[in-house]
Amino acid sequence: MMENRKISGFPEGFLWGASTSAFQVEGAYAEDGKGLSVADTASLKHSDVYADTKVAADFYHHYREDIVLMAELGLKSYRFSINWTRIYPNGDDEQPNEAGLRFYDKVLDELEKYGIEPIVTLYHFDMPQHLVDAYGGWADRRCIRDFVKYARTCFERYGNRVRYWLTINEQNLMVRKDKLLDIREEDPQKKEQIRHQMNHHMFLAGAEVIKLCHRMCPGAKIGPTFAYLPSYPATCKPEDVLAAMDSDNLYNYYLTDIHVYGKYPQYYRNYLEEHGWFPQFADGDEEILAGAKPDFLGFNYYLTYAAEYCPEDVENADYLSILNLVVPGHFRYVKNPYLKATEYGWQIDPVGFRKSLMELYQRYQLPVMITENGMGTHDVLSEDGKIHDDYRINYLKSHIEEMRKAVCDGVEVLSYNVWAFLDLVSSSDGFSKRYGLVYIDRTEHDLKQLARIPKDSFYFYQKVIAQGSADGL
């Protein structure tokens, strides 16, 4: 392993940041004209068990004090999302919702006041529910039109204030979650055909929005951000080495290959065609995909997997599981005995973070942006009224150190954004699974006072930002 310890810091202008998403922190889910989103609908189905999106961390009413905390932390960037249903409550409204536009004006005002760079995600799981009810959401090409209209409104309103835009968050993960797309089909084959047609329409929408941003905001940079879920071979058997390659191709690189090279790679076409899942193309789709190239690639990194060859005759196929994928004829995930895992089963791999940075940069020769990296745990408020999260500090320190090594080896990293700035509503675990640098004092159903309490990891990251590295901390 190459070790480069001569350079201890990061480039001048490096953006040390933190992330959130709109539906997970804002609350105010039906205020000031906001419409219902798919994320709201999915959350409300489990309101009896977990916290939902109605209040969340109530960033909508606490954004000023939260941004003051960001300034105290020393953030150089804040990656957040605009909620599609605040701007177009139904998704196909004739005119945008001015109250929603004003809210993000105010957020940008506060960030500008403290010199914090906004990194804005256009779509983070919160499609207008009305579009699903009206025509099936991403299953219909009309969704491309409506998403582009929404993006145009954002560029018109905020284009002179935002230098970094992200199109669609974790498309490769979202397409594997029925609740995030509101897929209702029961027939397994038809469901997969719908899923991959949705994916195709998202590719087209992302390409159209990248081209639109380049025309409307020539000084800005734009790219997708995806869930990077890399695999190691479970053993050095050649079949397992190929299995890990298949895993990376079919659940990671197919997406970035399409974004960067503007066409479906042959290995992915073959995979979809052998299952009868290849999407329908309309005239001009190839030109749309080929006509847009991102300025950078954003990615979210949390864990790695081990993959072994899976025989074709295995019956328990699972194409959607996040931790236990089983794809007959290609691969299945097994436990990596060399890694520890969180209480939620996510294996912790800082060296894999460095490997991911290097492989992604070498494959595409585009700048990269870490849009999420963090640790979800069941944090407990101590008797002294604080959160002593040494485990999160160790996680962040080890990942930042491996990122530094990747930078020393030549990887061009624009920004590192911890997930998350605040505790927020997890898409599957409510407030029981906490990621924040700042603790939100509430339970699943008791809002208390929604007090903001910086954790020990907050003060650790504050030191990292101040000195420009995690060395010696």
Side-chain angles (χ1 to χ4, degrees), residues 399-420:
H399 283 73
I400 290 169
E401 173 60 15
E402 293 300 326
M403 176 175 62
R404 181 193 69 82
K405 293 176 184 176
V407 170
C408 292
D409 288 333
V411 179
E412 186 179 355
V413 183
L414 299 173
S415 180
Y416 173 78
N417 296 278
V418 174
W419 185 267

Side-chain angles (χ1 to χ4, degrees), residues 145-385:
R145 172 203 66 194
D146 290 330
F147 182 62
V148 172
K149 178 180 178 181
Y150 155 66
R152 180 180 291 108
T153 298
C154 292
F155 296 152
E156 288 173 347
R157 185 75 169 225
Y158 313 120
N160 63 341
R161 310 183 70 183
V162 176
R163 291 197 302 161
Y164 295 101
W165 295 91
L166 300 160
T167 53
I168 297 176
N169 178 74
E170 292 190 336
Q171 179 180 330
N172 60 323
L173 178 62
M174 178 167 50
V175 78
R176 292 160 58 190
K177 292 284 191 178
D178 291 358
K179 67 179 182 179
L180 297 179
L181 295 171
D182 203 349
I183 298 176
R184 304 173 188 179
E185 175 61 54
E186 296 295 331
D187 180 84
Q189 180 67 6
K190 291 181 180 178
K191 178 184 284 191
E192 294 310 303
Q193 290 169 343
I194 291 170
R195 189 185 315 283
H196 293 285
Q197 192 67 50
M198 287 179 159
N199 211 20
H200 180 61
H201 292 158
M202 281 190 274
F203 280 123
L204 294 170
E208 294 281 28
V209 166
I210 286 174
K211 290 188 291 184
L212 184 66
C213 182
H214 287 158
R215 289 198 302 269
M216 296 183 65
C217 312
K221 296 185 182 300
I222 186 168
T225 188
F226 74 109
Y228 203 0
L229 308 167
S231 293
Y232 299 108
T235 73
C236 57
K237 289 170 58 178
E239 294 85 353
D240 290 347
V241 174
L242 287 174
M245 291 177 61
D246 272 355
S247 172
D248 283 344
N249 283 339
L250 298 180
Y251 288 88
N252 295 300
Y253 289 138
Y254 84 90
L255 179 134
T256 45
D257 282 353
I258 293 172
H259 279 302
V260 176
Y261 301 133
K263 62 180 180 180
Y264 280 58
Q266 192 62 47
Y267 63 80
Y268 192 55
R269 293 183 68 99
N270 293 346
Y271 171 70
L272 295 179
E273 288 172 352
E274 75 181 30
H275 290 89
W277 297 344
F278 195 78
Q280 292 182 351
F281 273 54
D283 290 343
D285 282 4
E286 291 89 350
E287 290 76 16
I288 292 172
L289 294 177
K293 184 172 182 178
D295 300 301
F296 64 91
L297 292 174
F299 73 97
N300 303 338
Y301 177 90
Y302 292 96
L303 74 167
T304 57
Y305 303 98
E308 68 177 13
Y309 173 71
C310 182
E312 291 186 12
D313 57 359
V314 168
E315 295 181 357
N316 60 332
D318 187 341
Y319 297 99
L320 305 180
S321 173
I322 300 303
L323 296 179
N324 298 296
L325 271 171
V326 179
V327 183
H330 294 278
F331 68 91
R332 60 187 166 201
Y333 288 163
V334 295
K335 185 177 180 179
N336 187 334
Y338 301 102
L339 297 177
K340 295 180 179 180
T342 71
E343 61 190 292
Y344 291 91
W346 292 31
Q347 296 195 306
I348 301 170
D349 186 7
V351 174
F353 185 37
R354 179 185 179 190
K355 177 176 179 287
S356 297
L357 283 160
M358 296 178 70
E359 288 184 343
L360 195 62
Y361 187 68
Q362 289 168 2
R363 186 179 183 109
Y364 299 112
Q365 292 295 300
L366 283 175
V368 295
M369 176 184 290
I370 297 96
T371 43
E372 295 180 21
N373 176 236
M375 183 181 191
T377 62
H378 186 69
D379 291 333
V380 177
L381 197 62
S382 300
E383 291 183 1
D384 61 2

